[in-house]
Amino acid sequence: MFNFYWGVFFVLVNFVLFLACFRLFGKMGLYAWIGFATVIANIQVTETIQMFGIVMTLGNTIYASLYMTTDLINERYGGAEARKAVWFGFFTLLATTVLMQMVLAFDPAEGDFAHEPLSVIFGLMPRLALASLSAYLVSQFLDVRVFSALKRRFGGRSQFWIRINGSTILSQFVDSLVFCTIAFAFHPEYPWDIWIQIFLTTYVLKFVISVASTPVLYAARSFRFKDE
């Protein structure tokens, strides 16, 4: 049960940090969150844990916060800003992947202790980055489009929850399917039964986290800044 209780606390910490980033830095903080969240999610996803006897990957919480961020940007600043934020996250992950692969190409000094663990983590990144970049672009632009469509249909201030959760149902399913297929399908370390568990838990966890984030986004939407 430790993983469950620690996981709940972990989600709460992510929500608090997300709110703090926006409260302290405004719209710039949302872009910053997207920047480091895309990178951290792809590092965390290399670790698998068991919860209730089911294998799942880490990274779902902070990755789900990317949808929170683009939905909040879309709500407050419009679809054009949300699409710009998606491209910003794409560039951040792409640049990180390129730079870290160049770092790993160096011959380490004798006695170096960092090269091997970095190779273990970032050596997986090209495959994970391809999976993440593909899933990220497809699902995030889908999320922006669906959110905008729902905003036209359910534009009331009290209907924010419909826009948030309605846009994530489809976009996160597509994201999980694309990511898990590229990252884990046909991988010798992940047989099909594990792949199915990872796919289902990835989607369910992301969706549950998104639903749980609804009051967090309502709180974030109420923030007021002098320059806005």
Side-chain angles (χ1 to χ4, degrees):
M1 291 296 292
F2 172 78
N3 278 351
F4 173 74
Y5 292 119
W6 187 250
V8 171
F9 180 64
F10 181 66
V11 171
L12 292 176
V13 170
N14 275 263
F15 286 167
V16 170
L17 291 175
F18 170 80
L19 287 174
C21 195
F22 183 42
R23 176 71 271 180
L24 292 172
F25 306 108
K27 183 169 69 172
M28 184 176 66
L30 296 179
Y31 277 89
W33 186 271
I34 284 180
F36 69 76
T38 53
V39 176
I40 292 176
N42 281 275
I43 295 174
Q44 291 179 351
V45 79
T46 60
E47 182 172 352
T48 58
I49 63 172
Q50 277 198 332
M51 192 180 297
F52 305 117
I54 300 174
V55 177
M56 58 186 69
T57 62
L58 292 179
N60 293 318
T61 299
I62 197 162
Y63 192 82
S65 73
L66 292 171
Y67 293 89
M68 295 170 55
T69 310
T70 52
D71 284 350
L72 182 59
I73 292 175
N74 201 339
E75 177 73 7
R76 291 191 57 137
Y77 307 109
E81 286 291 333
R83 287 188 290 273
K84 185 193 296 185
V86 172
W87 282 117
F88 179 73
F90 175 85
F91 175 80
T92 302
L93 182 56
L94 181 64
T96 302
T97 303
V98 171
L99 291 174
M100 288 310 301
Q101 295 311 302
M102 294 183 70
V103 166
L104 295 179
F106 283 99
D107 292 325
E110 184 177 352
D112 175 83
F113 65 89
H115 185 80
E116 185 173 344
L118 285 175
S119 297
V120 172
I121 296 174
F122 290 100
L124 294 172
M125 203 161 187
R127 183 186 181 106
L128 292 178
L130 176 61
S132 185
L133 287 170
S134 301
Y136 177 83
L137 281 180
V138 172
S139 65
Q140 285 284 352
F141 279 120
L142 178 63
D143 184 74
V144 172
R145 182 177 292 272
V146 173
F147 187 95
S148 297
L150 290 174
K151 193 174 182 179
R152 291 191 294 271
R153 177 65 177 84
F154 303 98
R157 187 170 177 80
S158 63
Q159 295 174 314
F160 186 34
W161 67 274
I162 299 177
R163 301 191 287 276
I164 298 168
N165 297 301
S167 61
T168 60
I169 291 175
L170 179 60
S171 58
Q172 290 198 0
F173 179 84
V174 171
D175 174 88
S176 300
L177 181 62
V178 173
F179 177 81
C180 290
T181 299
I182 297 175
F184 302 118
F186 310 107
H187 196 289
E189 295 184 10
Y190 298 94
W192 281 106
D193 60 327
I194 299 298
W195 181 90
I196 292 173
Q197 288 185 47
I198 291 175
F199 167 68
L200 291 177
T201 55
T202 296
Y203 175 62
V204 171
L205 276 174
K206 287 178 181 176
F207 183 68
V208 169
I209 292 168
S210 294
V211 172
S213 72
T214 300
V216 178
L217 286 174
Y218 269 88
R221 189 180 64 170
S222 68
F223 291 169
R224 293 293 178 264
F225 303 96
K226 292 182 179 180
D227 58 346
E228 293 183 4

